Amino acid sequence: MDSTETDAYLRRIGAARPAAADAAALRDLHLRHLKTVPFENLSIHLGEEIVLDPGALLDKVVRGGRGGFCYELNGLFAELLTALGYRVTLLAGRVAGPDGEFGIPFDHLALRVETAGAGAPEAWLVDVGFGRNSHHPLSLAQRGEQSDPAGVFRIAETEEGDLDVVKDGAVQYRLEQRRRELGDFEAGAWWHRTSEKSPFTRSPLCSLLTGTGRVTLSGRTLVTTEAGGRGRQERTLADDELLPAYREHFGIVIDRLPARTEGRPAAG
């Protein structure tokens, strides 16, 4: 990612170029990303190709004003952080389902990011592509509880050397610690955009963190919540309300409705 592209990406998330690749700047970039770039699967339901290539992702997210799912959002965010001087490693994860079973290999993409400081580099779990994740990066060195506006998180090492990311006592996903490349996630992305078992093929989904909570459009259902789940409001939209809702709440301008608007998939 060159300097012009980096500046365009920073404008997309409303951030200034940081003076140093430190933890404070990473925390700011992470939160700004969550509040400006929606988690969405509209490409699947619009029949658009999903290409895991930095140039294609830059066109979609930065120039096109769109969002994406984990492979797209974290894959592109890794490019930005690298351009800003951070040391970034792509990690493969498997999301925990309601029954406690983990999903397919390469089910999820998250980032290990090292920041510079006065002492030794610090390692952080960075994830702007998981709807139920923390607002701020989580320390990969800590094994105790880490408080965040989204809940209480903990990172636990398994007997096999993987890492479980736990939120409010429930495992969210399990991460391998081996370095991966973006192309390694092609099969997982293909499965998620084609399989009937994928939560993302069931219905269009768009979700964005806001200054007061979260707004989600799942199928035809618009849900707004305050922080901590308070003040939840839910409304079913008519056909002629959907395109304006994508534009108003998520900044997404599309010229036709995504197919299959009846279901309600998970936002993560």
Side-chain angles (χ1 to χ4, degrees):
M1 185 178 293
D2 64 26
S3 180
T4 300
E5 293 168 337
T6 300
D7 288 340
Y9 198 157
L10 291 171
R11 287 194 299 272
R12 170 77 170 93
I13 63 174
R17 184 182 284 265
D22 58 19
L26 179 64
R27 181 183 173 95
D28 179 67
L29 293 167
H30 193 277
L31 184 58
R32 286 179 183 274
H33 205 289
L34 291 174
K35 289 183 175 181
T36 54
V37 182
F39 181 95
E40 52 110 329
N41 67 353
L42 300 185
S43 288
I44 295 172
H45 301 278
L46 289 168
E48 298 172 345
E49 189 176 4
I50 296 175
V51 180
L52 298 188
D53 170 79
L57 296 178
L58 196 73
D59 284 340
K60 179 179 181 179
V61 175
V62 175
R63 300 188 180 100
R66 289 283 300 278
F69 57 178
C70 69
Y71 310 108
E72 300 171 287
L73 299 185
N74 283 324
L76 188 58
F77 196 40
E79 295 291 321
L80 174 66
L81 295 177
T82 299
L84 293 174
Y86 292 96
R87 186 174 179 180
V88 183
T89 302
L90 275 59
L91 301 177
R94 301 172 71 187
V95 178
D99 56 1
E101 295 293 321
F102 289 101
I104 62 168
F106 299 97
D107 194 23
H108 184 57
L109 188 163
L111 307 175
R112 172 192 168 96
V113 179
E114 291 187 14
T115 58
E122 295 181 271
W124 303 89
L125 172 62
V126 167
D127 193 345
V128 295
F130 192 72
R132 300 184 297 272
N133 204 47
S134 61
H135 295 187
H136 303 127
L138 300 174
S139 171
L140 283 169
Q142 293 188 33
R143 291 295 176 262
E145 293 184 346
Q146 302 185 49
S147 295
D148 182 87
V152 178
F153 290 80
R154 183 168 56 86
I155 296 177
E157 191 163 354
T158 71
E159 293 181 356
E160 295 77 19
D162 296 331
L163 299 176
D164 280 347
V165 180
V166 182
K167 175 188 175 185
D168 297 333
V171 176
Q172 302 299 293
Y173 54 81
R174 177 168 291 174
L175 284 174
E176 299 176 359
Q177 297 198 66
R178 174 183 173 184
R179 176 185 291 273
R180 298 292 185 174
E181 303 297 330
L182 187 57
D184 295 337
F185 295 87
E186 288 282 359
W190 175 83
W191 186 89
H192 272 298
R193 67 177 183 260
T194 60
S195 174
E196 293 185 356
K197 295 181 180 180
S198 166
F200 301 121
T201 59
R202 299 173 192 168
S203 176
L205 171 72
C206 198
S207 187
L208 187 68
L209 189 68
T210 68
T212 58
R214 178 172 290 277
V215 59
T216 300
L217 180 54
S218 182
R220 299 178 184 274
T221 304
L222 181 68
V223 179
T224 57
T225 57
E226 299 296 323
R230 299 183 296 274
R232 178 186 172 94
Q233 295 184 344
E234 184 173 319
R235 185 165 72 91
T236 301
L237 303 184
D239 280 355
D240 61 358
E241 295 179 291
L242 289 169
L243 293 184
Y246 284 121
R247 183 172 57 252
E248 175 186 352
H249 297 290
F250 310 103
I252 292 178
V253 179
I254 50 178
D255 58 7
R256 56 194 170 90
L257 291 177
R260 302 180 67 178
T261 58
E262 70 280 13
R264 302 185 65 178

